[in-house]
Amino acid sequence: MDFHIFPFVLVAIFILHGSCYSHKGSYEFMKDATLAPTMARFDYIVIGGGTTGCALAATLSQNARVLVLERGGSPYENPRAMDIDNFYNTLFNITPDSWSQPFISEDGVFNVRARVLGGESVLNAGFYSRAEESFVEKSEWEMEEVEAAYEWIERKLVFKPQVGGWQSAFRDGLLEAGVLPYNGFTLDHIVGTKIGGTTFDPAGHKHSAADLLAYANPHMIDVYLHALVHKIIFTTRGGDQRPKAYGVIYQDADGVFHKAELAENAMNEVILCAGALGSPQLLMLSGVGPKAHLESHGVNPVVLDLPMVGQGMADNPMNSVFVPSPAPVEMSLVEVVGIPKFHSYIEGLSRVSLANNLNSRFFDGVLNLLNKTSFSTTSITNILKSIDLHFMDEMEVDGWIVTKVDGPLSRGYLELRNKNPDDNPSVTFNYFQEPEDLERCVKGLKTVMKVIDSNAFSRYKYPNATARELLNLMLSRPINLRPRHESALTNLTQFCIDTVITIWHYHGGCQVGKVVDKNYKVFGIDSLRVVDGSTFFKSPGTNPQATSLMLGRYMGQKILRERNALRKKNEDYSIIKDETNIFSSSSK
Ligand SMILES: Cc1cc2nc3c(=O)[nH]c(=O)nc-3n(C[C@H](O)[C@H](O)[C@H](O)COP(=O)(O)OP(=O)(O)OC[C@H]3O[C@@H](n4cnc5c(N)ncnc54)[C@H](O)[C@@H]3O)c2cc1C
Ligand SMILES: *[C@@H]1O[C@H](CO)[C@@H](O)[C@H](O)[C@H]1NC(C)=O
Ligand SMILES: *[C@@H]1O[C@H](CO)[C@@H](O)[C@H](O)[C@H]1NC(C)=O
Ligand SMILES: *[C@@H]1O[C@H](CO)[C@@H](O)[C@H](O)[C@H]1NC(C)=O
């Protein structure tokens, strides 16, 4: 290296490094809730510092006092846990306060939700891809503002993946299977095969929504961790007046309860960002939801009978196949995606492996959860007998090709199990209830089989194994708790039903038009919005996180614009009043 340029290289490395880690793993305004006052006032109280909540709170703090209450801890406490090599370890590491909280839907499918600042953007596979244009149109969002909000996110979190051998072969296999045209690297949702964005940087470190808090005004925001919100509190002002949210009650890790209230200003709001499960659950626990259901769980008082809370929950069905490879494969999560004309998406992951024992520990934890579902003990025993549990002890998969059904059209519901906000509510997704979802799944699987059998992919598949044989092996794997049918060996429709798992894109318990209006304000209640994945009428794009992040920024900007407009109007009004009435200054 030329001696003279050496200092410059050092400076450049420092700057590059600095841009990746613009803050050293913490923020002054982030504290444990045990340090919170018993009572404090803010302009906005954001419940849930997750994917959407962090983007929203950072934005609001530019011009208002913001409180963020997150039930989990800090992702910066263990930054290595977010590295690409630890994706599965972190996901499968389940303890009472780990970042990953498992749940099992009543459909018999294992699932997880997040419990950490940054939410599921901390746990996820990092794939980043924007929503389809029709999603933006149907949401009645302003296209230019949406564009600006996506860009704000992307400047901080999104990278171009370095596509290796396995992902390249997978991409070429998709092209050979007819998922055309090839669109190269793009964040846009367009028909064909493409390389999308990733929140993993080139060194394999994931950047989560928590990093967006670096955009926050540190003097205007408080973030409390291990702050479990128990309920939103309302004034009802008697008579037939609308209820108005005016604060929240939350609990710290020592079990101490705290209160936070909105400061006196009609523009101030409580904003629920607790995620697809957390938001409908917390509305219900606060007395907003289907009246009879709330009463049966002793929720008192019922503030508003809102029957659609928790209705319309959906999870996009995913079906998948493990493909052992004779050639070594790189470790990759989702980088390439196939977007065919029919409504299914195809994605691939390589070198899936888990630290020793994690699998069986996860499985034990999950089996304990079964006590809480409504499965009968005999049906569970029968299911467990029919699947090969030992497979889990030595899980090592070279290639994993998956298909996700767009939408979906099938819908379910969420119900309370108890009054503990940290416990999982009961969720039923009704996978494949709508025949169209099944048709989409079958088409997706046919394309997956073509990719596996393609020439382009042949290097990563044993020549003696056919795609159909590999598919059928999935029927004996403990990937879900659903009954298996002999006919699934030859009938792809049955195969879809028997081997459905989740891609973790569940959404929809507080949908726009059903629970919130198109400005995300809860129907019938003042000063309360829901802004997160629970409001989606379908899963946006191939994968939702880009749009969840964008929505936080977009709504933050919109709320601040409304706030400024009203402030301006009041100022103009008070100037007029001051000019016309010399006594007006004493009235404020
Ligand atoms: C394993 C996995 C892989 C995924 N892979 C991808 C991918 O590659 N690409 C992609 O686009 N999407 C992916 N997703 C989906 C995507 O990450 C989520 O859809 C999205 O992040 C959800 O954002 P959200 O803001 O709605 O909820 P969340 O991010 O879950 O935020 C909700 C937050 O609220 C907190 N909370 C809940 N209840 C309370 C309470 N009572 N008090 C205080 N806090 C509370 C939670 O702890 C959480 O932090 C994946 C998800 C998972 C789980
Ligand atoms: C679940 O039920 C089994 C059998 O009834 C019992 O042994 C086990 O302790 C239960 N687990 C939990 C977490 O309740
Ligand atoms: C295919 O070949 C590999 C290696 O030669 C072998 O391990 C595997 O069992 C074979 N599979 C089948 C289905 O014959
Ligand atoms: C395949 O399975 C589905 C679901 O059980 C069933 O409705 C259909 O009739 C089956 N098709 C054939 C050809 O058997």
Side-chain angles (χ1 to χ4, degrees), residues 297-311:
H297 281 273
V299 175
N300 187 21
V302 173
V303 175
L304 184 72
D305 182 14
L306 206 52
M308 291 310 284
V309 175
Q311 296 297 312

Side-chain angles (χ1 to χ4, degrees), residues 110-309:
F110 307 124
N111 214 319
V112 303
R113 62 169 172 153
R115 181 172 39 205
V116 59
L117 187 74
E120 283 177 36
S121 71
V122 170
L123 290 183
N124 74 21
F127 191 63
Y128 181 97
S129 186
R130 296 180 179 189
E132 60 273 35
E133 253 172 54
S134 60
F135 190 95
V136 175
E137 280 159 20
K138 194 165 171 205
S139 304
E140 297 183 38
W141 293 332
E142 285 165 56
M143 196 61 94
E144 264 174 40
E145 295 292 329
V146 166
E147 189 80 18
Y150 275 129
E151 283 167 8
W152 184 82
I153 303 291
E154 287 152 16
R155 277 199 294 278
K156 198 133 221 112
L157 301 186
V158 181
F159 301 83
K160 183 178 172 179
Q162 297 157 312
V163 177
W166 189 91
Q167 286 281 344
S168 302
F170 171 59
R171 172 196 61 203
D172 297 343
L174 277 165
L175 298 175
E176 210 178 305
V179 187
L180 296 164
Y182 180 53
N183 293 313
F185 171 69
T186 175
L187 301 178
D188 291 337
H189 184 97
I190 33 181
V191 167
T193 293
K194 70 164 190 174
I195 296 167
T198 176
T199 53
F200 287 102
D201 66 26
H205 306 302
K206 188 161 51 196
H207 295 248
S208 81
D211 289 10
L212 296 173
L213 293 172
Y215 277 130
N217 178 344
H219 308 294
M220 299 288 271
I221 189 168
D222 283 298
V223 176
Y224 285 115
L225 302 175
H226 302 115
L228 177 66
V229 176
H230 276 248
K231 56 172 17 179
I232 303 160
I233 45 183
F234 302 93
T235 50
T236 45
R237 291 176 289 183
D240 49 7
Q241 289 241 6
R242 286 156 67 93
K244 178 183 185 304
Y246 76 93
V248 300
I249 292 175
Y250 63 100
Q251 189 183 25
D252 68 27
D254 291 340
V256 176
F257 283 91
H258 305 249
K259 202 177 194 184
E261 289 187 6
L262 296 178
E264 200 65 49
N265 179 333
M267 293 305 279
N268 291 351
E269 291 179 308
V270 174
I271 308 178
L272 190 46
C273 304
L277 262 56
S279 287
Q281 179 186 22
L282 204 62
L283 274 184
M284 288 189 195
L285 291 175
S286 308
V288 178
K291 188 163 187 271
H293 177 61
L294 301 189
E295 281 170 351
S296 73
H297 281 273
V299 175
N300 187 21
V302 173
V303 175
L304 184 72
D305 182 14
L306 206 52
M308 291 310 284
V309 175

Side-chain angles (χ1 to χ4, degrees), residues 47-53 69-72 87 91 111-129 227-230 273-276 278-279 281-282 334 347 421-422 503-506 531-534 536 542-546 548:
I47 305 172
T51 311
T52 319
L69 297 169
E70 167 54 47
R71 68 179 179 142
F87 169 72
L91 187 62
N111 214 319
V112 303
R113 62 169 172 153
R115 181 172 39 205
V116 59
L117 187 74
E120 283 177 36
S121 71
V122 170
L123 290 183
N124 74 21
F127 191 63
Y128 181 97
S129 186
L228 177 66
V229 176
H230 276 248
C273 304
S279 287
Q281 179 186 22
L282 204 62
V334 183
E347 301 180 355
D422 209 27
I503 186 167
W504 310 285
H505 296 172
Y506 50 87
V531 182
D532 62 21
S534 69
F536 292 154
T542 57
N543 299 59
Q545 76 160 333
S548 305

Side-chain angles (χ1 to χ4, degrees), residues 353-369:
S353 64
L354 279 162
N356 249 355
N357 289 332
L358 252 181
N359 255 314
S360 38
R361 246 174 57 207
F362 176 79
F363 223 69
D364 288 347
V366 156
L367 289 181
N368 279 339
L369 278 178

